[in-house]
Amino acid sequence: MKSLKPLAALVGLLVLSGSANAVNVYNDKGTRFDVNGQFRLKTQVTSQNHEMKMNDDGSRIGFFGSHELTNDIKVFGKLEWGSDTQKTNSDNPKSNFEMYNRVGYVGFSHRDYGQIQFGRTYIPIDWVKKSSYGYGNTGVFYFSDVLGRSVGYHNGYADGKGVGKNNFMTRLPQTIFLETNRYEGFKLAGTVTGKTGEDGRRVAGDITRAYSIVGFYKSTFGLEFDAGYSSATGEATTSKNSPNKGKNPENSILAFGAEYFFPGREFSIGLDYGQSRGKNNGFALDKNQAPTSWSSVKGDWKADLYGVGVKWHWDRIESGMYAGYYLRDGDANTFNYKKETYTVGVDKRFAVSKYNNLRLFAEMAYDDARSENPKYEDKKQYIFETGMRLYF
């Protein structure tokens, strides 16, 4: 951990300086090297918890380099780490400052065709969402609640077993990423992911394979439409109390997103629809078995996901006022779990320098989550959040 302290100091120096040198470090004869990142802070107060607390909201720092092999072909690579900047320097592993790996990949791009990446990289299904104009209480395609994943959810164990959390909808290691250039407004992107870690140390739920395919369309008259599918399969369930013992859990999502910018681009509307499924869930109950926890499900489940968002853009640098409605609607096997979120907010972006900008936001939401599972405590609460993000 001590070896990371100089890097942590560099993060702080870059963020506080706001220097343009933090973006492009070297650029000569077809070779480029950049440093970039985000410093994020957020405070939250809810109707159930009146104590205001400042939290890190996903700060990160990254390094990107590229080199032109020919006039048409480039080789490039990126490393990015995240951190909780509000943790202390402590010997307690649950509270001390640490940095974790977000992405690490190398790739090749061709000017006429597209690009390919290898390593821990992005999953394009994450780019389909269109109704998420806010920061912490908007969006509907991925979340941690009753409908949480049964694949890639383990943190890992102190005895060295388990490969840790991997979200098949955002970023995955051992991945090949392909993306085409746009043609007449259309482009395609897809990924294929293999196993991480040694077989003898893998545990139930660790991802064994995953894939995604997404299509993107951008018109010349303000309309964007994206659609895709992503799926992941995990190591077989080993719990002797599970009806799915010996079966491989699967999670998948089918997602559609559309956004329209009205003439003048002062107002936009985004619509999302998705269908999330869980199969061979390790938390599933036997027939007629009483629920054992708030996350219990009766068997293979399905949930419909709906989102609608609107934003009035004050200017062309993403400042404005926004509102949204989001519904996660589970079927009978989720004990008819339902969560509705109503959100309004405002944000303002400030140019700090040629390359750096600061974004401030305030957001208020109302959450209404309920389930027929007697172990689940229905939650109705108001949420108020304010925050800042410094991009460099």
Side-chain angles (χ1 to χ4, degrees):
M1 189 59 62
K2 291 182 179 179
S3 63
L4 292 176
K5 289 184 177 180
L7 184 57
L10 175 62
V11 175
L13 179 61
L14 292 174
V15 170
L16 292 175
S17 67
S19 169
N21 293 330
V23 174
N24 180 236
V25 178
Y26 181 84
N27 189 9
D28 186 47
K29 297 180 180 179
T31 300
R32 182 183 181 96
F33 183 74
D34 297 338
V35 180
N36 50 53
Q38 301 175 31
F39 177 55
R40 300 179 170 194
L41 287 179
K42 180 174 69 176
T43 59
Q44 181 187 83
V45 176
T46 74
S47 56
Q48 295 186 350
N49 183 0
H50 297 167
E51 180 181 357
M52 181 177 290
K53 185 178 181 181
M54 183 181 297
N55 295 304
D56 188 275
D57 192 32
S59 297
R60 74 283 305 262
I61 184 172
F63 302 90
F64 178 84
S66 66
H67 176 72
E68 294 181 0
L69 298 178
T70 69
N71 289 335
D72 296 326
I73 300 174
K74 284 185 179 181
V75 60
F76 58 89
K78 183 175 182 178
L79 293 171
E80 185 178 81
W81 297 270
S83 67
D84 185 340
T85 61
Q86 301 309 296
K87 285 191 173 182
T88 60
N89 293 318
S90 166
D91 292 329
N92 183 341
K94 293 185 177 181
S95 63
N96 68 335
F97 176 83
E98 61 182 359
M99 301 191 75
Y100 57 89
N101 181 27
R102 286 177 54 86
V103 296
Y105 61 80
V106 295
F108 299 88
S109 65
H110 191 283
R111 182 176 61 182
D112 298 326
Y113 301 113
Q115 63 169 310
I116 184 170
Q117 301 173 8
F118 305 89
R120 181 177 175 88
T121 186
Y122 303 103
I123 306 302
I125 198 76
D126 187 36
W127 307 333
V128 172
K129 60 183 183 293
K130 298 297 183 183
S131 66
S132 180
Y133 289 109
Y135 297 86
N137 302 285
T138 60
V140 74
F141 285 155
Y142 51 87
F143 42 87
S144 297
D145 54 16
V146 170
L147 308 178
R149 294 171 289 121
S150 58
V151 178
Y153 65 93
H154 278 299
N155 279 322
Y157 299 93
D159 62 2
K161 292 188 175 182
V163 301
K165 286 190 175 182
N166 284 307
N167 191 333
F168 77 103
M169 295 181 59
T170 55
R171 299 174 300 275
L172 285 178
Q174 302 291 324
T175 296
I176 300 174
F177 171 100
L178 283 167
E179 183 181 38
T180 68
N181 285 348
R182 286 192 184 273
Y183 177 75
E184 300 292 334
F186 291 93
K187 73 173 182 177
L188 293 173
T191 58
V192 177
T193 299
K195 291 182 179 180
T196 299
E198 302 175 9
D199 287 344
R201 295 190 176 276
R202 299 170 58 79
V203 297
D206 284 346
I207 292 177
T208 58
R209 61 183 181 276
Y211 67 93
S212 68
I213 180 70
V214 182
F216 303 89
Y217 172 70
K218 187 174 184 179
S219 74
T220 58
F221 54 86
L223 175 67
E224 296 184 18
F225 179 78
D226 304 337
Y229 180 79
S230 185
S231 176
T233 302
E235 292 283 359
T237 300
T238 56
S239 173
K240 62 181 180 180
N241 298 320
S242 173
N244 290 322
K245 181 181 179 181
K247 298 180 180 179
N248 298 92
E250 299 177 26
N251 283 123
S252 65
I253 186 169
L254 176 68
F256 301 89
E259 184 176 31
Y260 180 68
F261 284 85
F262 288 82
R265 300 186 67 85
E266 294 181 355
F267 186 81
S268 64
I269 180 170
L271 302 172
D272 291 321
Y273 170 74
Q275 191 175 91
S276 185
R277 291 179 178 267
K279 184 179 179 182
N280 299 330
N281 195 305
F283 309 114
L285 303 170
D286 277 319
K287 188 175 182 180
N288 299 322
Q289 179 184 358
T292 57
S293 75
W294 64 270
S295 59
S296 294
V297 293
K298 296 179 182 179
D300 295 350
W301 58 265
K302 181 189 74 172
D304 292 311
L305 314 173
Y306 306 89
V308 55
V310 295
K311 186 167 184 177
W312 171 37
H313 303 265
W314 290 339
D315 48 42
R316 299 201 175 188
I317 57 173
E318 302 176 18
S319 302
M321 298 178 64
Y322 57 88
Y325 169 75
Y326 310 93
L327 170 63
R328 302 152 171 85
D329 190 12
D331 65 6
N333 278 351
T334 69
F335 292 92
N336 294 312
Y337 173 78
K338 180 177 289 187
K339 182 177 181 181
E340 295 179 279
T341 303
Y342 305 80
T343 305
V344 295
V346 59
D347 58 5
K348 175 63 179 175
R349 181 178 173 187
F350 301 89
V352 178
S353 70
K354 181 179 178 180
Y355 299 104
N356 309 84
N357 64 83
L358 173 69
R359 188 177 300 174
L360 305 179
F361 66 89
E363 188 170 282
M364 186 172 68
Y366 174 70
D367 264 350
D368 182 359
R370 51 197 181 275
S371 169
E372 295 173 4
N373 181 349
K375 292 288 186 178
Y376 183 84
E377 182 179 350
D378 291 352
K379 183 180 293 184
K380 296 183 179 182
Q381 64 174 347
Y382 290 94
I383 303 169
F384 180 72
E385 295 180 343
T386 62
M388 59 166 286
R389 295 182 179 182
L390 179 62
Y391 299 81
F392 59 91

